[in-house]
Amino acid sequence: MGAAALAAGVVTTAATSAGAAPSPSAAVVINEVYGGGGNSGAAFNRDFIELVNKTGAAVTLDGWSVQYASSTGSFSGKTDLTGSIPAGGRFLVGEAFGSDRTLPGITPDQDGTIAMSGSTGKVALVNNATLLTSTVCSPTKGATGCSNLPQVVDFVGWGAASDWAGSGTAPGTSNGTSVSRNTTSTNTADNATDFKAGTPTPGAGGTPPPGTPVEKTIAEVQGTGDASPLVGQNVVVKGVVTAAYPTGGFHGFFLQTQGTGPEPDPSGASDGVFVFQSGSSTPLDADAVVGNYVQVTGKVSEFGGLTEVTAAGADIVDAGSDFSPVQPLSIPWPKTDTGRESIEGMLFQPTGDYTVTNTFSTNQYGEVGLAVGDHPLLQNTEVAAPGSPEAAAVVADNAQRKVTLDDGSSSNFTASSYTVSACGTRPVPCLLNGDLTPAYVSNTEPVRVGAAATFTEPVVVDYRFDLWRFQPTEQVVGPDNAASPATFADTRTAAPDVADIDQRGTADLKVASFNVLNYFTDLGDQDPSCQAYWDRDDNGDTVRTGCEQRGAWDSADLARQTQKEVSAINALDADVVGLMEIENSAKFGHDRDAALASLVASLNAKAGAGTWAFVPSSTDLPPLDQQDVITSAMIYKPASVMRVDRSRALGDQSGDGQAFVNAREPIAQTFKAKYGKGDKFLFVVNHFKSKGSPGPFPGDEDTGDGQGSSVTSRILQAQALRDWVPGVAAEYGAKAVVMAGDYNSYTKEDPLDVLYKAGYTDVGSTFDPNSYSYSFSGLSGSLDHILVNDYGLRMSTGADHWNINSGESVALEYSRFNYHATDFHDPGPYRASDHDPVVLGLKAFVK
């Protein structure tokens, strides 16, 4: 509907009351001029002049005209106007067509025939229909100055024009660009200040034609739902740049409505949006600097759930200095997606408690998982029975508290390729980003699960790759992490917590459980069938596939792994340690304990000759073809404890259809204190079936109750262990039973419940209830447990989870050596494995 039709039945202001001569108070002004229509490279098939009504009432144009002159010539063409412009609306005058009428058309409110220049010229809005001839105009500018005549309501000279309003001309144009006001409200009566060159945006009757950028607020672009209501539309938005990412892959910036914050928009719509600059091979636009006020013209889209405006660099322009700064939001982190949607893209100052809950992906993506509150997110079956309402409540709590601190980049720091063409002369798979260092990884300022995070700078609320995120206002780059908006408490300890271990009196002995992360002395480079994971210099780190080996690739890798294992085990200060995931050397044609003997030799080389000894493998073990390539083992300190009789193993349950067909056989040894009175205790080491794949028994498929796969397998293994242990303990006269290991079951899961019902107590959750041994997908829980019978509980003084492994970045593992431009290897105990050791204190004698 044209403006003239819109005016029917509407009270309008008379034309003469609109004012005359270019003035900041003019009711109607020229909003846009386009002279390249129909030419080569044009945006539309004809020229146009667009007017805008800046008042709150309709204005009649009857008797007015728009007139044109070449850049240095006299006015020679005009279009007489009729009709009116609605309050705040536009009026589009279509002028001459060019030679290419196949280009997009416009929908004018009135037609004219003026042929205008595509690069420079003069247009006057006149409050009568008399042509501005040289006899009428006074030569105030150039040869035919007309801009200051009283009948001239508004005047635009652009390019090399000889006349203009104010201090100078508007920019020159091309066939594909027009001159238009910075916003429809800008009018200082100065062409040089008020106008910019850019993409033509013709509008008629207050509504532009389809595809034409429309000026919108950022809140209108965001809307109040999951997705923008303007997806696919071209918009013009203004705002303050709050964060910018010229490097790292984002290639864009966040824009927020000037003056907003610290409270959310009461409408429920966000006042911030991400602007993606198309053409990622070109530098980010020079105006995209934090603190600048800019105007962006681009298309609205949803990128993986993030609302964004995509714009070319030429469509990102400075919007001046007349704006109010943005203040960061100062509210608690919303608990719902709806609440987070309402602040997506906005500057945010996190306050209150935040705790690190995930560091596994830090090595790969430079991101840190956080939990709102003073503790990490939890595995629901760690604290509640599987499938129970309480377990569901934990899942809901996790969803409410979860957010990820990102590094302001999309870099994959461990990206690899399995294609020969990508790797070139390098071995497959090859690392692609080895010249980079991920953010938030450090040996001197470690970021660990369970550590408090304190935000010293605001961040921007973001949603990418299915996660709500805090983006820094600039990219954080390792290894110095100088731009990090947060600091992290250093929670590392040099040894287990004696206060936890000695809660019920000073321990006479200590026992521990320790997973040694596939400690193999038969190496990948010794077997031609083995394939490696390669570092950035094309040296193998660990075995990937193709052979039975699972650990270090070569002797240098084994040396680094051994350094860390030795540091950790010696620092445990335990008298007996149960080991999981050590090589079963018999599978490689050696003595079964060869790898174990090698580790003990390394321990003694550091701690002193004879400090450690190992328990020889039991003769009870099943035939070799029923054994796994990894096994469990025990080491002990002969100076403080002594073995009682031979080692034992549950070796008759490893055949097809039996409980340990897919797990490592439990092993056992009776110990007592070396000197003085001492109670015998039976020490049992276990390693149940993992959660990752289903076993052969009914019910082993993952049912979704939180216990993962192979629950039936683990239940059968717990039952077999329950039935076997009492007979072994009775045989050797051991009243106390201490069962340690990796049960691959969280504390409240069904396999452990079998043992609880048999009278065993988990000392980790009893004495150290808010600490855990494992972190998976950002959720903390304990897979590693020490269980004791009633007499063992009477001997127990306390227990501690020594959190040296699961919460540390995997970048510190020997298996990730030389993955990054920064060398993170350290011979200390941190990230010696992926499981944390559990330490139990014991009284040697119960009175």
Side-chain angles (χ1 to χ4, degrees):
M1 180 182 293
L6 285 171
V10 178
V11 177
T12 62
T13 303
T16 55
S17 68
S23 167
S25 62
V28 178
V29 295
I30 299 168
N31 191 54
E32 185 172 5
V33 177
Y34 177 56
N39 298 342
S40 174
F44 296 96
N45 62 11
R46 67 189 296 189
D47 300 342
F48 65 81
I49 301 167
E50 182 184 82
L51 310 178
V52 67
N53 177 0
K54 294 174 74 274
T55 73
V59 175
T60 182
L61 299 176
D62 289 342
W64 287 24
S65 63
V66 288
Q67 303 185 22
Y68 171 76
S70 65
S71 62
T72 59
S74 301
F75 281 84
S76 57
K78 70 182 178 76
T79 300
D80 295 335
L81 304 178
T82 59
S84 63
I85 312 180
R90 305 184 189 187
F91 188 97
L92 188 63
V93 183
E95 299 294 0
F97 286 92
S99 58
D100 187 355
R101 294 205 176 196
T102 65
L103 291 167
I106 63 174
T107 305
D109 294 296
Q110 189 162 341
D111 286 305
T113 59
I114 302 172
M116 298 188 292
S117 167
S119 59
T120 179
K122 303 185 290 272
V123 169
L125 173 62
V126 184
N127 65 10
N128 60 44
T130 303
L131 189 65
L132 300 174
T133 64
S134 58
T135 58
V136 175
C137 299
S138 59
T140 55
K141 299 186 186 81
T144 56
C146 299
S147 58
N148 289 330
L149 291 176
Q151 65 266 44
V152 175
V153 179
D154 198 17
F155 192 99
V156 177
W158 76 100
S162 60
D163 198 2
W164 57 84
S167 65
T169 65
T173 55
S174 65
N175 289 338
T177 60
S178 67
V179 287
S180 63
R181 292 184 182 272
N182 292 320
T183 69
T184 54
S185 62
T186 300
N187 180 28
T188 66
D190 188 331
N191 293 166
T193 299
D194 294 346
F195 284 85
K196 67 181 186 304
T199 303
T201 57
T207 303
T212 301
V214 179
E215 189 167 343
K216 295 288 185 179
T217 65
I218 293 175
E220 288 173 324
V221 170
Q222 281 282 7
T224 57
D226 291 344
S228 169
L230 303 179
V231 168
Q233 296 187 32
N234 293 315
V235 298
V236 179
V237 291
K238 274 188 174 183
V240 180
V241 178
T242 57
Y245 312 101
T247 60
F250 282 4
H251 205 64
F253 55 94
F254 282 98
L255 196 67
Q256 186 166 331
T257 302
Q258 58 124 348
T260 52
E263 296 294 330
D265 189 327
S267 72
S270 171
D271 290 305
V273 71
F274 183 71
V275 177
F276 173 70
Q277 182 180 314
S278 58
S280 58
S281 61
T282 60
L284 199 62
D285 188 85
D287 292 312
V289 175
V290 173
N292 277 9
Y293 188 45
V294 300
Q295 176 176 289
V296 175
T297 303
K299 180 175 285 188
V300 179
S301 64
E302 292 287 329
F303 179 75
L306 174 69
T307 301
E308 64 180 32
V309 176
T310 300
D315 294 325
I316 302 166
V317 296
D318 184 85
S321 58
D322 185 16
F323 67 95
S324 299
V326 167
Q327 299 296 321
L329 290 163
S330 181
I331 60 171
W333 179 239
K335 294 183 177 182
T336 66
D337 284 343
T338 299
R340 295 164 189 170
E341 283 283 352
S342 72
I343 61 173
E344 178 189 87
M346 295 184 69
L347 200 63
F348 182 80
Q349 179 62 63
T351 56
D353 292 330
Y354 284 83
T355 302
V356 176
T357 195
N358 190 355
T359 60
F360 186 81
S361 57
T362 308
N363 178 54
Q364 185 172 14
Y365 297 117
E367 61 187 23
V368 178
L370 298 176
V372 178
D374 61 1
H375 61 281
L377 307 181
L378 299 177
Q379 292 282 356
N380 62 337
T381 53
E382 175 63 28
V383 293
S388 66
E390 293 79 9
V394 175
V395 174
D397 179 68
N398 288 341
Q400 291 177 352
R401 298 196 297 124
K402 180 179 181 180
V403 66
T404 296
L405 172 62
D406 211 340
D407 64 344
S409 85
S410 56
S411 298
N412 181 344
F413 297 96
T414 60
S416 59
S417 176
Y418 287 79
T419 63
V420 174
S421 59
C423 294
T425 60
R426 294 174 292 170
V428 178
C430 59
L431 284 174
L432 301 179
N433 287 326
D435 58 333
L436 304 176
T437 295
Y440 309 119
V441 179
S442 175
N443 265 313
T444 57
E445 297 179 358
V447 179
R448 294 163 35 94
V449 171
T454 301
F455 283 87
T456 57
E457 299 291 338
V459 293
V460 178
V461 177
D462 187 31
Y463 186 85
R464 293 172 197 263
F465 306 109
D466 301 320
L467 292 174
W468 285 103
R469 300 171 183 267
F470 291 157
Q471 294 294 351
T473 57
E474 62 178 300
Q475 183 185 357
V476 180
V477 179
D480 62 7
N481 305 308
S484 173
T487 60
F488 304 90
D490 185 352
T491 58
R492 281 181 174 174
T493 57
D497 190 339
V498 174
D500 280 348
I501 296 170
D502 291 345
Q503 291 178 50
R504 303 199 306 186
T506 303
D508 299 317
L509 300 171
K510 284 178 277 189
V511 299
S513 169
F514 196 96
N515 184 309
V516 292
L517 188 62
N518 290 315
Y519 189 85
F520 274 60
T521 53
D522 282 274
L523 305 173
D525 69 342
Q526 299 168 351
D527 186 337
S529 64
C530 291
Q531 299 177 39
Y533 286 108
W534 305 98
D535 69 13
R536 69 195 192 105
D537 292 328
D538 307 328
N539 297 313
D541 274 345
T542 52
V543 176
R544 177 169 62 92
T545 188
C547 58
E548 292 290 328
Q549 287 90 330
R550 296 187 184 180
W553 179 253
D554 59 24
S555 59
D557 301 313
L558 178 60
R560 283 185 286 268
Q561 183 182 18
T562 301
Q563 281 181 321
K564 299 188 80 65
E565 303 290 2
V566 166
S567 286
I569 293 171
N570 277 331
L572 282 172
D573 193 30
D575 301 284
V576 182
V577 181
L579 306 178
M580 287 69 64
E581 291 193 18
I582 195 162
E583 174 190 288
N584 179 356
S585 298
K587 284 287 192 176
F588 301 94
H590 314 304
D591 180 86
R592 190 176 192 276
D593 297 327
L596 177 61
S598 178
L599 177 59
V600 168
S602 296
L603 286 165
N604 286 333
K606 194 74 173 177
T611 301
W612 291 97
F614 65 86
V615 175
S617 290
S618 175
T619 56
D620 300 339
L621 288 164
L624 188 59
D625 63 354
Q626 292 183 2
Q627 297 177 31
D628 198 349
V629 295
I630 58 171
T631 188
S632 300
M634 295 182 206
I635 59 176
Y636 66 100
K637 291 180 176 176
S640 57
V641 294
M642 58 185 292
R643 293 169 52 214
V644 178
D645 215 288
R646 70 184 183 92
S647 62
R648 300 298 303 272
L650 177 51
D652 61 358
Q653 293 290 313
S654 300
D656 290 343
Q658 295 180 310
F660 283 92
V661 67
N662 57 359
R664 281 60 54 184
E665 296 78 19
I667 61 173
Q669 175 67 60
T670 304
F671 290 96
K672 70 183 294 293
K674 183 73 173 285
Y675 301 105
K677 290 183 178 181
D679 287 313
K680 297 176 183 177
F681 64 93
L682 181 69
F683 190 62
V684 185
V685 181
N686 304 286
H687 192 182
F688 286 4
K689 172 69 178 75
S690 69
K691 295 172 173 287
S693 60
F697 302 104
D700 270 345
E701 294 290 338
D702 189 345
T703 63
D705 67 352
Q707 299 188 88
S709 299
S710 296
V711 177
T712 300
S713 287
R714 290 190 293 278
I715 289 174
L716 292 173
Q717 289 153 20
Q719 291 171 342
L721 180 67
R722 173 200 64 191
D723 297 341
W724 175 67
V725 164
V728 179
E731 181 178 349
Y732 297 109
K735 296 179 182 179
V737 175
V738 179
M739 301 192 302
D742 177 1
Y743 293 81
N744 274 306
S745 302
Y746 292 109
T747 300
K748 297 294 185 179
E749 292 186 356
D750 295 339
L752 290 178
D753 192 53
V754 170
L755 299 173
Y756 300 152
K757 289 176 178 175
Y760 293 94
T761 298
D762 175 48
V763 299
S765 58
T766 299
F767 292 109
D768 194 18
N770 296 315
S771 185
Y772 312 97
S773 75
Y774 198 65
S775 178
F776 182 75
S777 292
L779 305 178
S780 291
S782 289
L783 297 178
D784 308 86
H785 305 270
I786 297 179
L787 304 177
V788 296
N789 67 354
D790 286 345
Y791 201 89
L793 186 59
R794 290 173 61 192
M795 291 178 67
S796 299
T797 61
D800 181 58
H801 299 92
W802 189 25
N803 299 130
I804 56 172
N805 294 326
S806 68
E808 297 273 358
S809 171
V810 71
L812 309 185
E813 257 183 33
Y814 89 94
S815 63
R816 304 310 196 270
F817 176 74
N818 198 31
Y819 266 39
H820 308 297
T822 300
D823 181 4
F824 289 118
H825 177 70
D826 183 276
Y830 308 107
R831 198 66 192 193
S833 178
D834 54 344
H835 293 245
D836 290 320
V838 186
V839 184
L840 170 66
L842 294 172
K843 286 289 187 182
F845 177 70
V846 175
K847 297 179 181 179

